[in-house]
Amino acid sequence: DYTPTPADKFTFGLWTVGNTGRDPFGEPTRPAMKAPYLVQKLAELGAWGVNLHDNDLVPISASASERDSIVAEFKQALSDHGLVVPMATTNLFNDPAFKDGAFTSADARVRAYALQKTMRSMDLGAELGAATYVFWGGREGTEVDAGGKLLDCLGWFRDSLNFLAEYSESQGYGYRFALEPKPNEPRADIFLPTVGSALGFIATLDKPEQFGVNPEFAHETMAGLNFSHAVAQAIDAGKLFHIDLNDQKMGRFDQDLRFGAENPKGAFFLVQLLESSGYAGPRHFDAHALRTEDEAGVWAFARGCMRTYLIFKEKAQQFAQDSEIQAALAAYRVEDAELAQLTGTFSPQNAEALKARTFDRAALGARGPGLEQLDQLTMELLLGIR
Ligand code: GCO
Ligand code: MN
Ligand code: MN
Ligand code: MN
């Protein structure tokens, strides 16, 4: 009946179900809920875990003793309700100190403060048992490039990530780090705007094996890209360390819609890809209820994200068992044992034989692959009539 259990590995951020509906044009539309209460409610709904930024839990100006008592109360709630904290991250965007970047600020004092704040937040995450540490560089970017720091800031960013990876090792935290790309918002142009750019950057780090990506449905969509393609590239590179699920209209401001709410077909192909890929990490929803909603709407939102995921997971199983669909899929692919031999491994003989071979170009161009029919069958399956 599509009721989630912890085995489904669904997680939410404290900042997601805790979102109060504030936007750049308007005040909050619902009261803030305390972290222990959010933990209780998420557990009741069948979630597996909860993720957080340092300041989702501990206010930035809290004293050491205030911090300790807030953390103790939170840990009690986690153990009372059986929720885990698989991922932690740093808020490096809210405070005005970070208005022109954190690790990429032109002010060395801001960069050092960002390192300090992140180490403390990594300590908190480790205390809560987090295995994945996310870097979303929301303020790492520019509105104007007159500052001339484009090459410098990539170096600063790299130095910071190298430093923090060493810190994690020196503390024995064993974190895996996940960079979360986004093209814009809050900055006009955020550095490392897409999954592809993050993957390229990771290869330049001192310990690339400790770094992967945390792709988000909305972020690639904002960039006009196909999210499943980005996720497939991350999987292929062995770099899918975490994933942020939500939905988004293309070409709009960051909407953080309920998973599957806007582009159900895209959400289906994503679930199918994830479930068939062996990805064993959290299915994290980085989204929030519409600003129109009250608390009941927040829980309807959270339940809806998980339910839609599970429905698509079932649809993916149905897709795999549908004989007409499977026949269309089989017909789509053409294999040729002799050509596999020739093209599989390079040898001068294979190259010569391949160069000498005659291909029936007209026949290749004339073949209909059956994609219209296959896609229609998929649609009918999704629409519930198969
Ligand atoms: C956004 C981002 C954030 C990050 C979060 C965790 O668009 O605001 O997606 O929600 O995911 O900061 O790193
Ligand atoms: Mn986002
Ligand atoms: Mn967002
Ligand atoms: Mn996100």
Side-chain angles (χ1 to χ4, degrees):
D1 61 350
Y2 315 113
T3 303
T5 72
D8 296 310
K9 290 203 163 175
F10 291 131
T11 63
F12 288 84
L14 280 181
W15 71 94
T16 64
V17 284
N19 183 286
T20 57
R22 188 166 63 94
D23 76 10
F25 302 94
E27 298 300 327
T29 58
R30 42 188 183 253
M33 295 183 268
K34 294 231 183 288
Y37 179 68
L38 296 174
V39 166
Q40 178 202 323
K41 295 298 287 186
L42 286 174
E44 284 169 13
L45 292 179
W48 172 59
V50 64
N51 303 317
L52 67 156
H53 304 86
D54 47 358
N55 304 136
D56 296 341
L57 185 64
V58 183
I60 193 165
S61 49
S63 70
S65 69
E66 282 162 355
R67 175 215 184 266
D68 290 348
S69 76
I70 292 169
V71 173
E73 192 193 6
F74 185 62
K75 283 165 91 172
Q76 188 61 50
L78 292 170
S79 92
D80 287 350
H81 302 289
L83 236 58
V84 294
V85 176
M87 178 273 259
T89 183
T90 331
N91 187 323
L92 294 172
F93 44 89
N94 190 66
D95 195 87
F98 300 121
K99 63 191 175 187
D100 191 27
F103 302 129
T104 63
S105 169
D107 185 333
R109 297 166 302 178
V110 175
R111 297 199 298 272
Y113 173 55
L115 275 184
Q116 180 200 68
K117 191 172 192 295
T118 303
M119 286 190 290
R120 290 180 178 172
S121 177
M122 286 166 64
D123 298 343
L124 171 64
E127 183 178 348
L128 297 171
T132 304
Y133 202 86
V134 164
F135 292 99
W136 172 62
R139 297 281 175 199
E140 316 289 9
T142 62
E143 284 72 42
V144 295
D145 287 330
K149 66 173 182 180
L150 293 186
L151 285 174
D152 297 307
C153 62
L154 289 171
W156 295 329
F157 210 162
R158 178 179 304 114
D159 291 346
S160 299
L161 294 176
N162 287 336
F163 185 102
L164 293 165
E166 291 293 342
Y167 177 69
S168 171
E169 238 170 59
S170 74
Q171 298 291 116
Y173 289 160
Y175 277 124
R176 299 212 305 165
F177 299 100
L179 306 188
E180 180 180 340
K182 187 177 184 183
N184 58 274
E185 208 176 331
R187 300 311 295 270
D189 292 291
I190 296 180
F191 302 134
L192 309 181
T194 63
V195 168
S197 28
L199 290 173
F201 187 68
I202 286 170
T204 73
L205 299 175
D206 286 348
K207 300 203 165 143
E209 66 282 358
Q210 294 185 16
F211 289 82
V213 289
N214 178 32
E216 176 169 318
F217 202 116
H219 296 177
E220 299 299 301
T221 306
M222 286 168 71
L225 300 174
N226 179 318
F227 186 58
S228 289
H229 289 216
V231 170
Q233 195 189 349
I235 292 170
D236 178 69
K239 292 297 189 187
L240 187 68
F241 284 14
H242 198 267
I243 191 162
D244 279 7
L245 303 172
N246 54 12
D247 213 341
Q248 171 77 32
K249 282 196 211 295
M250 211 175 263
R252 301 290 170 94
F253 63 92
D254 178 9
Q255 296 178 301
D256 288 325
L257 300 169
R258 190 178 77 256
F259 181 63
E262 174 60 27
N263 177 3
K265 193 177 173 190
F268 166 70
F269 286 127
L270 176 74
V271 171
Q272 188 185 46
L273 175 70
L274 266 190
E275 294 298 322
S276 66
S277 71
Y279 171 75
R283 276 74 170 155
H284 172 67
F285 297 105
D286 187 11
H288 46 74
L290 300 171
R291 186 167 184 268
T292 51
E293 300 308 288
D294 61 3
E295 186 185 330
V298 171
W299 305 123
F301 148 81
R303 209 181 298 112
C305 286
M306 297 188 282
R307 211 175 140 75
T308 296
Y309 189 101
L310 291 176
I311 293 169
F312 284 142
K313 190 173 163 178
E314 185 184 271
K315 293 280 181 195
Q317 282 157 5
Q318 228 181 306
F319 184 98
Q321 285 156 8
D322 186 305
S323 53
E324 207 179 336
I325 288 179
Q326 291 307 309
L329 267 180
Y332 178 52
R333 296 191 186 217
V334 180
E335 294 301 341
D336 183 312
E338 192 196 338
L339 286 176
Q341 194 67 30
L342 280 185
T343 57
T345 327
F346 175 84
S347 70
Q349 295 77 7
N350 279 350
E352 276 314 308
L354 190 55
K355 281 170 79 178
R357 195 168 170 112
T358 309
F359 286 95
D360 185 348
R361 221 171 66 241
L364 296 180
R367 173 182 173 246
L371 288 172
E372 283 288 1
Q373 177 63 4
L374 177 56
D375 191 62
Q376 180 65 22
L377 291 171
T378 308
M379 282 306 292
E380 294 188 9
L381 184 136
L382 294 181
L383 293 171
I385 64 158
R386 286 189 74 76

